[in-house]
Each structure stands twice: as C-alpha cells, then as structure tokens.
C-alpha cells in the first residue's frame, strides 16, 4: 500500500475512527469466530507465559500474587504491537511516527473499547486456562500428602465454592480424583495406540491388495487423529467432579474479576 503523505494521514484517521476497519486491517478480524480464536490464543499465551507468575498456578509462588489486573494492559500492548507492525510494513511509517499516531486519546479509547468488549465476552477462556493449571498442579504432586501452601490456599478460599466440591472435602480426595482421571485418560490413549500398532503391522503384509491397503491407511489416520485429540483432552472429561470444580472456579473468578473492574 503506497500512499502519499496526505492520503496516508487521512487513511490512518479513518482507520482509528472506524472500529470495523481497524479490526479488519490491524487485527485481521472479520467474524466473531476470528475474535474468539484470538482470545483463545491470548488466554493460553498470557496464562502459560506472559503472566504465568500472576495467573498460572504451576508457576505462581504465593496465592497472594494471583491477580487479573495486568490482563487488559497486556492485550493493549499486543494490539499496539499489531498496529506498529502494520504501520511499518504496510504503510511504511518510521517507528517513531507510528508510535506517535497512538498518542491521541481518541485512538487509545478505540483500542480500549475493543479490549473491554472482547474481554467481557471471552474472559472465561482465561479463567478456564487458569483452572486447568490448578488441576495440572495437583497432578504434579507425587503423593496425596504432598499438598502445598498454594494448593491449600486455593482450596480454602472463595476460588472454589465448597458446595460445588461434592465428594471432595480436602486435598487428598482431590488428588485421588485427579490421579484416577489421569489413569483413565492414559488407558484410553493406550487402547487406541494398540489399534494403531495392529494396523501398522497389517500394512507390512506382502500380499495386500490396493483396496485393503487404502482402507487400513484411512483407519490408521483416523486412530492417529483420535490419539491427538485424546492427548489434548482435559482431565475434566474423565471425571464429573473435576468438571464441577473447574466450573466453580470459573464462576468464582468471573465474580472476582467484576469486583476488580
């Protein structure tokens, strides 16, 4: 996109005045599915990496460090970086000029409005990812007596509503649930892997007609896909109580987030 200085300036003014245009040009968003995918990606990225010490129970040192406060600021930086890339690569701005374009309050408000709308609609992606790290933390514990201050703090605080815990009254019960669910998952994965081995062995048979070979290859691909899907499956899929706990955590986090906002 090569534009004269005046045309470029007019286009940028229009860009920051039209939310739909901004989303399409800067964020590559044209549908609700696009928005959801971006927020899913950001949820994983922030919880697992950027804000892991504040949101990821696997990396958090103390429960007092737990906070949602930085999320919107980080998303703002991500969008600002997208603008910067677009300005440099598409509009051929100098870096300093591109940064200067973001200084107008009206333009900042546009980005903030996008962030607020996205986060309000898709905040549960973040909460679900956070809850997953809690279950993963419990799974890491080698023994039911190896609870930590962090885990005990999570169990005893408002993050998990007690009435939602059902049969899980303490860490030992929770640990057993997680272990059993993980064992069930491993059994299911191994069962599929056995089928893959059987099919792979059959494919090595010398006198195998083309039709049979194609059928086996199709089955092999299907089973490999099942293994991938099963490997990525959350432990809540294998235990209803874990699903209830995760749901309770998501609801509690949504309530905590409203208080912050």
């Amino acid at each position: 996109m090569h534009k004269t200085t005046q045309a470029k300036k007019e286009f940028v003014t229009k860009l920051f005045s039209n939310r739909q245009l901004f989303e399409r040009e800067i964020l590559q968003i044209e549908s609700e599915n696009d928005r959801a995918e971006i927020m899913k990606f950001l949820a994983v990225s922030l919880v697992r990496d950027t804000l892991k010490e504040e949101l990821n129970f696997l990396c958090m040192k103390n429960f007092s460090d737990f906070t949602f406060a930085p999320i919107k600021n980080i998303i703002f930086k991500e969008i600002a970086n997208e603008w910067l890339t677009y300005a440099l690569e598409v509009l051929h701005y100098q870096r300093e000029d591109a940064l200067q374009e973001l200084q107008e309050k009206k333009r900042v408000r546009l980005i903030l409005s996008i962030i607020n709308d996205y986060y309000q609609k898709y905040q549960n992606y973040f909460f679900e990812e956070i809850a997953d790290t809690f279950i993963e933390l419990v799974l890491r514990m080698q023994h039911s007596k190896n609870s930590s201050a962090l885990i005990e703090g999570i169990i005893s605080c408002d993050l998990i509503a007690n009435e939602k815990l059902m049969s899980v009254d303490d860490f030992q019960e929770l640990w057993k649930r997680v272990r059993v669910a993980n064992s069930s998952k491993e059994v299911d994965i191994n069962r599929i892997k056995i089928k893959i081995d059987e099919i792979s062995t059959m494919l090595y048979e010398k006198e195998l007609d083309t039709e049979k070979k194609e059928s086996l290859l199709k089955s092999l691909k299907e089973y490999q896909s099942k293994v991938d899907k099963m490997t990525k499956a959350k432990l809540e899929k294998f235990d209803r109580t874990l699903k209830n706990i995760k749901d309770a955590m998501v609801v509690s986090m949504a309530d905590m987030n409203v208080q912050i906002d």
Side-chain angles (χ1 to χ4, degrees), residues 9-241:
K9 187 173 182 179
E10 291 175 357
F11 176 75
V12 171
T13 298
K14 182 178 180 182
L15 190 66
F16 281 99
S17 302
N18 186 319
R19 174 168 167 168
Q20 187 177 4
L21 179 63
F22 184 91
E23 287 182 288
R24 185 175 69 247
E25 291 291 327
I26 307 302
L27 304 179
Q28 304 296 301
I29 288 176
E30 295 189 5
S31 69
E32 202 60 46
N33 285 338
D34 292 338
R35 296 183 184 92
E37 286 302 314
I38 281 182
M39 292 304 284
K40 282 182 181 179
F41 172 81
L42 285 173
V44 174
S45 177
L46 267 63
V47 173
R48 300 289 177 172
D49 184 23
T50 312
L51 296 175
K52 61 185 179 183
E53 294 183 358
E54 293 87 359
L55 300 175
N56 188 331
F57 291 123
L58 292 166
C59 304
M60 200 180 302
K61 295 179 180 179
N62 300 296
F63 186 61
S64 59
D65 296 330
F66 183 59
T67 176
F68 306 118
I71 292 179
K72 289 183 181 180
N73 288 336
I74 297 298
I75 297 177
F76 185 94
K77 290 179 181 179
E78 292 288 340
I79 293 179
N81 284 335
E82 290 297 323
W83 153 252
L84 189 60
T85 299
Y86 181 88
L88 296 178
E89 297 181 358
V90 179
L91 299 179
H92 306 293
Y93 264 81
Q94 294 297 315
R95 182 180 179 85
E96 294 75 14
D97 295 334
L99 291 172
Q100 185 61 36
E101 294 288 2
L102 280 178
Q103 300 307 308
E104 291 187 24
K105 291 183 178 180
K106 184 178 180 181
R107 295 176 179 182
V108 171
R109 285 198 296 270
L110 172 71
I111 296 176
L112 289 176
S113 71
I114 292 173
I115 293 170
N116 288 332
D117 288 349
Y118 284 20
Y119 189 58
Q120 182 177 15
K121 184 171 290 186
Y122 298 111
Q123 61 183 348
N124 277 10
Y125 290 156
F126 293 85
F127 305 153
E128 289 168 3
E129 197 68 30
I130 293 168
D132 286 339
T133 68
F134 172 63
I135 294 174
E136 291 166 24
L137 177 61
V138 175
L139 181 62
R140 277 191 182 184
M141 300 293 103
Q142 295 300 310
H143 195 277
S144 61
K145 295 181 180 179
N146 289 351
S147 182
S148 66
L150 176 59
I151 292 176
E152 294 297 338
I154 297 168
I155 293 175
S156 62
C157 79
D158 292 337
L159 196 57
I160 304 179
N162 291 330
E163 64 269 18
K164 298 279 187 173
L165 288 178
M166 297 176 63
S167 61
V168 178
D169 299 317
D170 53 28
F171 173 74
Q172 291 188 2
E173 286 291 333
L174 176 60
W175 185 86
K176 290 177 183 177
R177 287 279 187 177
V178 171
R179 286 280 165 171
V180 170
N182 191 59
S183 294
S184 297
K185 177 178 178 178
E186 290 178 348
V187 167
D188 287 351
I189 290 174
N190 288 332
R191 186 181 296 118
I192 300 172
K193 286 183 175 179
I194 289 173
K195 293 296 294 183
I196 290 175
D197 289 341
E198 291 175 352
I199 294 173
S200 297
T201 300
M202 293 172 66
L203 282 168
Y204 279 105
E205 293 180 4
K206 293 182 178 180
E207 297 184 5
L208 197 65
D209 61 56
T210 302
E211 184 177 349
K212 180 64 175 176
K213 185 175 182 179
E214 289 178 351
S215 177
L216 289 173
L217 287 172
K218 181 180 178 180
S219 296
L220 181 63
K221 186 176 181 180
E222 290 174 351
Y223 279 114
Q224 288 172 335
S225 177
K226 287 182 180 180
V227 167
D228 291 339
K229 185 177 181 180
M230 189 68 67
T231 301
K232 294 175 183 176
K234 308 294 185 181
L235 292 186
E236 70 202 59
K237 302 290 185 182
F238 304 87
D239 186 284
R240 182 64 190 177
T241 297

